[in-house]
């Protein structure tokens, strides 16, 4: 199976590159934008087309595998994680950036078996940077080994976060409260780049010390979690517990009844 997952990773890289090229072209075109859960939760026709492209290509190659995708899920498909090989896909991470042509947009493809993440691929659609990692085999940026920062002092840290799609008062109060605490620590800085997967890749390369966000979905973090771990970092839940297995409930993925 180890050899088989290595082959799956090669296919994932191929598909992520192909999807990334489609996104790169789509960003120059007129976008047809709609909203999902809130007025700031955006989706475009490109999100749906790219997810369809990724899933149909992978399904052709691996007919017995299962799929969890952001847009399939938005369209009402249940997110079911079983022990079967499962692909976890965000076709366009940073949809709001995509809509505004703000150059932080990625294709994210994670792969889990027995509910454990085996590998992750994240492709930066604007500059073509490719992040990959396979469990036990290290993390790479364009084929070069990457490592997280060694800095442990929050007052010397650059910290990344994302706001998510909710804008109700309670969410905004928590969000700004957290940033206030970090800035008065004082952390060197706090950044919001608009793509959770690329933010996590920047932690993996050591360009930032940490990333936090409430309300992440499994497709925001599946691929990135492997990349972070293989770069020597840790992924923890909101209680500070190590998230070692593919964290089913935490990522809002329902178990099959
Ligand atoms: C979103 C982006 C955003 C983050 C959200 C994600 P999407 O992904 O990464 O920065 O705050 O939590 O869902 O919807 O653009 O694929």
């Amino acid at each position: 199976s180890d050899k088989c997952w290595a082959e799956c990773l090669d296919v994932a890289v191929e598909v992520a590159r192909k999807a990334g090229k489609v996104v790169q072209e789509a960003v120059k075109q007129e976008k047809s934008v709609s909203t999902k859960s809130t007025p700031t939760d955006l989706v475009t026709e490109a999100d749906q087309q790219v997810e369809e492209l990724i899933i149909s290509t992978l399904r052709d190659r691996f007919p017995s595998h299962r799929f969890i995708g952001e847009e399939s899920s938005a369209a009402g498909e249940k997110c079911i994680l079983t022990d079967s090989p499962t692909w976890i896909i965000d076709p366009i991470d940073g949809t709001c950036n995509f809509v505004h042509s703000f150059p932080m947009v990625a294709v994210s493809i994670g792969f889990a078996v027995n509910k454990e993440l085996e590998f992750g691929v994240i492709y930066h659609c604007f500059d073509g940077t490719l992040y990959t990692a396979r469990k036990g085999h290290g993390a790479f940026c364009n084929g070069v080994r990457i490592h997280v920062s060694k800095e442990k002092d929050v007052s010397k840290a650059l910290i990344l976060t994302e706001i998510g799609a909710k804008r109700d008062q309670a969410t905004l109060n928590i969000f700004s409260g957290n940033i206030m605490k970090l800035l008065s620590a004082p952390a060197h800085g706090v950044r919001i780049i608009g793509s959770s997967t690329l933010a996590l890749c920047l932690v993996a390369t050591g360009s930032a010390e940490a990333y936090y966000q409430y309300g992440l979905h499994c497709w925001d973090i599946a691929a990135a979690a492997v990349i972070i771990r293989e770069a020597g970092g840790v992924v923890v839940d909101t209680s500070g517990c190590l998230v070692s297995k593919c964290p089913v409930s935490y990522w809002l993925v329902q178990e099959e009844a």
Side-chain angles (χ1 to χ4, degrees):
S1 65
D2 199 57
K3 218 177 125 218
C4 177
W5 308 151
E7 187 204 322
C8 291
L9 171 56
D10 291 342
V11 175
V13 167
E14 229 176 84
V15 176
R17 282 215 164 94
K18 190 165 116 187
K21 298 273 146 59
V22 174
V23 176
Q24 231 164 45
E25 282 310 306
V27 91
K28 299 174 201 156
Q29 316 289 323
E30 185 86 19
K31 286 123 188 154
S32 113
V33 186
S34 339
T35 60
K36 296 190 282 188
S37 62
T38 68
T40 46
D41 188 7
L42 306 183
V43 63
T44 69
E45 265 169 20
D47 291 75
Q48 287 144 354
Q49 282 159 3
V50 174
E51 180 159 318
E52 166 60 23
L53 167 77
I54 296 171
I55 295 184
S56 62
T57 310
L58 293 172
R59 213 190 284 281
D60 276 353
R61 288 290 290 263
F62 309 107
S64 67
H65 291 184
R66 306 183 63 116
F67 299 88
I68 293 173
E70 178 172 28
E71 306 318 332
S72 315
S73 149
E77 239 174 77
K78 274 196 180 152
C79 293
I80 298 169
L81 186 67
T82 67
D83 284 343
S84 304
T86 302
W87 298 80
I88 305 173
I89 296 150
D90 193 340
I92 301 185
D93 179 52
T95 302
C96 178
N97 285 348
F98 171 79
V99 166
H100 294 267
S101 305
F102 186 83
M104 285 287 179
V105 176
V107 174
S108 177
I109 304 179
F111 183 76
V113 183
N114 293 322
K115 300 193 178 82
E116 268 197 71
L117 292 161
E118 285 294 330
F119 65 73
V121 174
I122 295 173
Y123 182 78
H124 188 315
C125 301
F126 277 81
D127 71 12
T129 307
L130 179 76
Y131 300 90
T132 54
R134 184 150 80 93
K135 196 174 73 187
H137 292 80
F140 300 85
C141 173
N142 290 335
V144 179
R145 196 71 195 251
I146 52 175
H147 296 279
V148 295
S149 159
K150 291 190 174 65
E151 187 55 65
K152 291 196 169 72
D153 183 347
V154 69
S155 73
K156 296 194 178 90
L158 182 60
I159 295 171
L160 307 179
T161 187
E162 289 295 325
I163 174 130
K166 286 165 118 187
R167 295 292 189 279
D168 58 281
Q169 202 56 50
T171 302
L172 294 182
N173 287 346
I174 293 169
F175 183 81
S176 49
N178 286 334
I179 289 196
M180 290 275 277
K181 275 182 217 145
L182 286 169
L183 290 178
S184 47
H188 277 176
V190 177
R191 304 276 183 274
I192 303 173
I193 65 169
S195 157
S196 45
T197 63
L198 289 178
L200 286 156
C201 287
L202 290 172
V203 173
T205 59
S207 296
E209 271 63 42
Y211 174 86
Y212 72 93
Q213 188 189 340
Y214 291 91
L216 274 169
H217 293 277
C218 61
W219 42 80
D220 294 321
I221 194 167
V226 193
I227 296 171
I228 292 278
R229 286 176 195 147
E230 290 298 320
V234 290
V235 181
V236 294
D237 69 15
T238 48
S239 65
C241 283
L242 264 185
V243 178
S244 52
K245 284 239 172 190
C246 197
V248 181
S249 55
Y250 175 57
W251 290 353
L252 317 175
V253 175
Q254 301 152 18
E255 292 237 43
E256 196 162 41

